[in-house]
């Protein structure tokens, strides 16, 4: 299974989160799930209750066991609550073709 989320780099008012906060979140995800990959920054636009949010974010991908899907969802909700977000993006891809290839 792979899940994807986007970690906002600013709060709902456009104030930047400290870089140390973002790095701490990435480290916690890596420890919780055994690894995490990030890329970006990217730009995301979304509308909530008529207000347009224009947010820079980083894309985070994590590969794990299918049995961890609920744990992954809960982790994203916890991050969103910690950062004071209204909503968080969460995508779950359950595909058995993911492999970790031994290169040694």
């Amino acid at each position: 299974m792979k899940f994807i989320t986007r970690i906002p780099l600013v709060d709902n008012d456009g104030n930047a989160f400290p870089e140390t906060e973002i790095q701490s979140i990435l480290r916690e995800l890596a420890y919780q799930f055994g690894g995490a990959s990030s890329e970006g920054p990217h730009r995301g636009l979304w509308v909530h209750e008529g207000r347009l949010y224009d947010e820079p974010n980083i894309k985070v991908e994590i590969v794990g066991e299918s049995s961890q899907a609920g744990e992954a969802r809960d982790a994203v909700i916890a991050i969103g609550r910690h950062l004071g977000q209204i909503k968080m993006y969460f995508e779950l891809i359950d595909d058995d073709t993911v492999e970790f290839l031994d290169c040694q």
Side-chain angles (χ1 to χ4, degrees), residues 31 37-38 62 73 90:
Y31 278 113
S37 298
S38 65
I62 295 176
R73 188 177 185 280
F90 180 74

Side-chain angles (χ1 to χ4, degrees), residues 10-83:
V10 300
D11 66 19
N12 292 320
D13 295 321
N15 301 306
F17 293 117
E19 176 65 22
T20 54
E21 184 70 23
I22 302 303
Q23 293 306 315
S24 176
I25 290 168
L26 291 172
R27 281 192 302 275
E28 288 175 23
L29 288 170
Y31 278 113
Q32 184 174 359
F33 295 99
S37 298
S38 65
E39 62 181 56
H42 298 278
R43 180 179 177 198
L45 291 93
W46 64 285
V47 177
H48 178 72
E49 296 181 352
R51 178 178 170 190
L52 176 67
Y53 292 86
D54 187 346
E55 300 174 330
N57 63 74
I58 57 171
K59 179 180 177 182
V60 179
E61 294 184 357
I62 295 176
V63 176
E65 300 296 324
S66 293
S67 62
Q68 294 178 295
E71 181 182 355
R73 188 177 185 280
D74 291 344
V76 173
I77 290 169
I79 291 166
R81 286 181 179 157
H82 175 76
L83 296 176

Side-chain angles (χ1 to χ4, degrees), residues 97-104:
T97 62
V98 174
E99 295 180 59
F100 290 99
L101 302 175
D102 188 358
C103 299
Q104 295 183 343

Side-chain angles (χ1 to χ4, degrees), residues 2-17:
K2 174 170 66 172
F3 82 85
I4 300 169
T5 191
R6 296 199 176 253
I7 306 296
L9 301 178
V10 300
D11 66 19
N12 292 320
D13 295 321
N15 301 306
F17 293 117

